[in-house]
Amino acid sequence: METEWISIRDADAPADDELMRAAEILRGGGLVAFPTETVYGLGADALDASAAKRIYAAKGRPSDNPLIVHISCMEELAPLVKDIPQAAGKLAAAFWPGPLTMVFPKADIVPTATSGGLDTVAVRMPSSPVANRLIALAKVPVAAPSANISGRPSPTTAGHVREDLDGRIDMIIDGGPVGIGVESTIVDVTGEKPVLLRPGAITMEMLTEILGEVYTDPAVTGPVGADVHPRAPGMKYRHYAPRADLTIFEGDAGRVADEIERRTAAAEAEGRCVGVICTDETRDLYSAGNVRSIGSRADEETIARNLFALLREFDDMGADLIFSESFDRERIGAAIMNRLTKAAGYNIVQV
Ligand code: TXA
Ligand code: MG
């Protein structure tokens, strides 16, 4: 299949005529990749089971991993869900449109192909003007996982989408690089207490300010073993994975740098290609390996924004090993460390 490419002139105020063809493809059951404020999504009509199945085929995604349904305004929520719990109303008022997904009891019109066989449905209202307007023009709710091949780092540019999905989908909309860079926060509001299933830019601190206590699913912070069954099925797969072996080093910044330098030099002496993830603050401590600053610790948002692109860059250079500094687990740091520790298969060294 030939994948069409459309570049949006002004992603903050996209013209309807630029998005109309994409909206028609969605209405016709086709697949369109589009920018959101978090990562690029691969969209299809969420109410069309065969369109949803095409998403799984294009991504190589396991069919028990449910899709997030994207809406453009509050009126589009009620038909998709059996009930809007009070906590959901409060979170929607505070954070929609924006990088928050909520899990609701599913209405019957949502096919099980979209919900991965669950009787719940995850819904999000993106704030990206391109995403929001595209959904409104399509006049259907849009199921959209991240637009990467399953298991690869999520795409933060249209170029990343092309690397993974060119020839497998109908259209790619280029709206420039995304602003946030990690996927939306997911909160399950179906139970008595709200539960955080995936950390994102709407932080735990922001959620508790609105709701009081919020539980954290154990799969957010630790490996999924025999006794941990994540409530977001996607969290059980080895996600966000670079091809290289990634190790995270935790401890005093100077000691971390020394240990990474030592291991990098040893690996390079054996002819291996090594990527090093440091920060603006520590860049000068490193000389060995392919050293990249992921951003500034004083501006954690830059770290979130650069994470997936950096993992892809190391893939492209053929890195065998990646050594990374560790980050705070507060605020958006919870999302950064959730993605990074998963990518590392929880391989963390204390120094
Ligand atoms: O920021 C985002 O949410 C991006 C953009 C495109 O909107 N989308 C995204 O989709 O990250 P995806 O498919 O890569 O991740 C969806 C996650 C998976 O971990 C999945 O298991 C979980 O959401 N999920 C979806 N429906 C669910 C449900 N009914 N209950 C629990 N978890 C659900
Ligand atoms: Mg994904």
Side-chain angles (χ1 to χ4, degrees), residues 189-213:
V189 289
T190 59
E192 209 135 278
K193 284 274 179 196
V195 184
L196 175 72
L197 305 188
R198 180 175 74 181
I202 303 299
T203 64
M204 188 52 134
E205 291 83 350
M206 293 159 80
L207 295 171
T208 51
E209 202 176 303
I210 304 293
L211 295 182
E213 200 176 8

Side-chain angles (χ1 to χ4, degrees), residues 230-310:
R231 284 162 65 170
M235 301 289 275
K236 74 171 173 270
Y237 297 105
R238 184 166 177 246
H239 241 190
Y240 324 112
R243 297 192 183 103
D245 251 325
L246 168 59
T247 308
I248 302 167
F249 295 84
E250 204 159 52
D252 166 78
R255 282 209 308 272
V256 164
D258 285 347
E259 181 64 14
I260 290 180
E261 282 275 285
R262 195 182 63 74
R263 292 201 192 203
T264 301
E268 286 194 325
E270 290 170 4
R272 309 184 80 187
C273 176
V274 184
V276 174
I277 300 179
C278 67
T279 52
D280 293 353
E281 288 80 1
T282 55
R283 177 69 188 79
D284 291 345
L285 300 177
Y286 297 89
S287 56
N290 300 283
V291 184
R292 299 285 182 278
S293 172
I294 193 173
S296 168
R297 287 181 190 273
D299 180 1
E300 292 173 307
E301 276 71 27
T302 61
I303 297 174
R305 195 177 306 135
N306 294 329
L307 174 62
F308 288 137
L310 197 47

Side-chain angles (χ1 to χ4, degrees), residues 39 59 61 65 145-148 152 154-155 183 198 239-240:
V39 299
K59 280 181 57 93
R61 180 180 175 106
N65 190 3
S146 49
N148 51 293
R152 290 214 69 200
S154 290
E183 307 87 341
R198 180 175 74 181
H239 241 190
Y240 324 112

Side-chain angles (χ1 to χ4, degrees), residues 60-228:
R61 180 180 175 106
S63 63
D64 68 344
N65 190 3
L67 307 173
I68 293 174
V69 179
H70 295 64
I71 58 175
S72 70
C73 62
M74 215 46 202
E75 290 69 57
E76 293 167 3
L77 176 63
L80 302 173
V81 304
K82 278 224 166 87
D83 172 40
I84 302 179
Q86 210 185 14
K90 288 187 189 166
L91 291 181
F95 302 121
W96 273 4
L100 174 72
T101 296
M102 288 185 272
V103 175
F104 295 90
K106 180 180 91 59
D108 294 338
I109 60 161
V110 180
T112 50
T114 296
S115 71
L118 299 177
D119 55 9
T120 55
V121 60
V123 184
R124 164 161 124 78
M125 189 193 297
S127 60
S128 146
V130 173
N132 204 278
R133 194 63 198 148
L134 174 65
I135 299 161
L137 290 171
K139 298 194 174 71
V140 290
V142 175
S146 49
N148 51 293
I149 291 282
S150 219
R152 290 214 69 200
S154 290
T156 54
T157 67
H160 295 160
V161 178
R162 180 156 56 187
E163 279 169 24
D164 281 14
L165 298 176
D166 192 33
R168 304 171 71 97
I169 63 177
D170 296 287
M171 181 184 270
I172 297 172
I173 301 176
D174 181 1
V178 301
I180 294 173
V182 291
E183 307 87 341
S184 62
T185 305
I186 305 180
V187 178
D188 185 338
V189 289
T190 59
E192 209 135 278
K193 284 274 179 196
V195 184
L196 175 72
L197 305 188
R198 180 175 74 181
I202 303 299
T203 64
M204 188 52 134
E205 291 83 350
M206 293 159 80
L207 295 171
T208 51
E209 202 176 303
I210 304 293
L211 295 182
E213 200 176 8
V214 175
Y215 286 96
T216 299
D217 191 63
V220 167
T221 47
V224 175
D227 49 345
V228 177

